[in-house]
């Protein structure tokens, strides 16, 4: 597996650097993730600062059990309907949120199995977490709390927020514009979305025009 890092330098220029070539015994999620974590650790890089990933030919490279991969593949289709794509963004955020709330135990089970199969010491989730930088200082939290809330859920929160920030305005705009689609004899027409579209452009629609539009739509 080849790893290439894409980043923005201090001048705002996008750059790519090949950082490692790693041998992996298979292309399962856990094996690939374990290899990536090791490379990041060797290069003093933090996964918490990663804002996305790209891959070629390995659909299970997606860290979140195929959720973001489906969205990524769909958005790359040249024949993808824009409004449908925005629906998929919304659905993906909902799936990530559900994964965040309900799937830590299943992930923990997979990781534990991987560790046992590879003779890696398994951390007791009930033990007190020890900060490797301050080993003598008590943290007051368990290993489970650290890995579930300060890693698992924090990374998913960042992913959900990133999707929200990147597509928030675009999604709403396209969904509103979608109500003007003539397909199916204007079956997608929606009065609320028409009103919202007018509100998004206050400089193009005066207060009187918006009130008139409300009146006409209500009729």
């Amino acid at each position: 597996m080849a790893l290439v890092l894409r980043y923005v330098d201090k001048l705002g220029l996008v750059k790519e650097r090949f950082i490692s070539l790693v041998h992996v015994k298979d292309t399962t999620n856990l094996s690939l993730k374990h290899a990536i974590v090791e490379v990041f650790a060797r290069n003093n890089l933090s996964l918490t600062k990663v804002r996305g990933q790209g891959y070629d030919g390995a659909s299970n490279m997606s860290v979140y059990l195929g959720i973001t991969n489906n969205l990524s593949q769909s958005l790359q289709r040249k024949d993808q309907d824009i409004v449908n794509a925005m629906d998929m963004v919304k659905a993906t955020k909902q799936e990530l949120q559900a994964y965040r709330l309900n799937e830590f135990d299943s992930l923990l089970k997979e990781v534990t199995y991987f560790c046992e199969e590879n003779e890696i010491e398994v951390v007791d989730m009930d033990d007190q977490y020890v900060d490797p930088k301050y080993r003598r200082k008590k943290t007051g939290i368990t290993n489970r709390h650290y890995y579930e809330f300060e890693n698992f859920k924090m990374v998913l929160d960042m992913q959900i927020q990133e999707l929200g920030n990147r597509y928030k305005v675009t999604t709403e705009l396209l969904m509103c514009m979608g109500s003007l689609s003539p397909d199916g004899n204007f079956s997608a027409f929606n009065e609320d979305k028409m009103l919202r579209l007018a509100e998004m452009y206050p400089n193009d629609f005066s207060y009187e025009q918006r009130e008139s539009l409300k009146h006409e739509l209500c009729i």
Side-chain angles (χ1 to χ4, degrees):
M1 176 177 64
L3 271 70
V4 177
L5 188 66
R6 180 184 292 121
Y7 63 95
V8 179
D9 65 13
K10 294 181 179 179
L11 299 178
L13 301 176
V14 178
K15 295 186 176 181
E16 288 187 350
R17 292 289 184 272
F18 171 81
I19 60 174
S20 183
L21 185 64
V22 184
H23 173 73
V24 291
K25 65 177 183 179
D26 54 55
T27 57
T28 61
N29 284 351
L30 287 176
S31 294
L32 294 174
K33 183 179 180 181
H34 181 69
I36 293 173
V37 169
E38 283 190 342
V39 172
F40 270 57
R42 288 200 304 268
N43 291 276
N44 295 319
L45 299 173
S46 173
L47 280 175
T48 61
K49 295 183 179 180
V50 175
R51 291 296 180 268
Q53 74 254 345
Y55 43 91
D56 182 14
S59 61
N60 53 359
M61 269 293 290
S62 173
V63 176
Y64 311 115
L65 309 170
I67 296 177
T68 55
N69 174 64
N70 292 335
L71 175 63
S72 177
Q73 294 296 324
S74 296
L75 293 180
Q76 292 180 55
R77 285 173 47 192
K78 294 182 179 180
D79 61 342
Q80 178 63 267
D81 177 77
I82 295 298
V83 175
N84 182 59
M86 294 303 101
D87 279 335
M88 292 195 66
V89 171
K90 181 179 179 180
T92 299
K93 289 173 61 179
Q94 293 173 341
E95 286 187 66
L96 286 174
Q97 183 62 25
Y99 184 80
R100 175 190 180 279
L101 294 174
N102 306 313
E103 298 300 326
F104 177 77
D105 285 331
S106 62
L107 177 61
L108 179 60
K109 185 177 180 180
E110 289 185 39
V111 173
T112 301
Y113 176 77
F114 174 82
C115 290
E116 292 175 345
E117 285 291 301
N118 293 274
E119 299 183 351
I120 300 173
E121 183 180 358
V122 179
V123 176
D124 188 333
M125 290 291 109
D126 294 325
D127 284 351
Q128 179 174 250
Y129 171 71
V130 177
D131 189 331
K133 294 182 179 179
Y134 308 98
R135 293 187 175 277
R136 296 184 179 180
K137 184 178 180 180
K138 292 185 178 181
T139 60
I141 60 174
T142 62
N143 285 320
R144 182 185 177 93
H145 178 92
Y146 174 75
Y147 288 109
E148 180 176 3
F149 292 94
E150 298 187 28
N151 286 271
F152 177 76
K153 290 189 175 180
M154 184 184 73
V155 172
L156 282 168
D157 284 340
M158 292 169 60
Q159 183 76 14
I160 295 169
Q161 183 178 355
E162 182 71 13
L163 282 174
N165 292 340
R166 183 170 298 183
Y167 295 105
K168 182 178 180 180
V169 176
T170 305
T171 301
E172 186 176 19
L173 174 60
L174 291 175
M175 293 299 291
C176 290
M177 292 178 64
S179 66
L180 295 173
S181 173
D183 292 345
N185 195 26
F186 289 93
S187 60
F189 180 79
N190 183 284
E191 296 176 356
D192 292 333
K193 291 181 180 179
M194 287 296 297
L195 292 173
R196 177 58 185 147
L197 188 60
E199 293 173 353
M200 294 173 70
Y201 293 90
N203 295 330
D204 298 311
F205 294 90
S206 66
Y207 174 79
E208 289 77 14
Q209 289 175 318
R210 293 198 297 272
E211 289 300 308
S212 177
L213 179 60
K214 289 181 181 180
H215 178 70
E216 292 178 9
L217 290 175
C218 288
I219 291 177

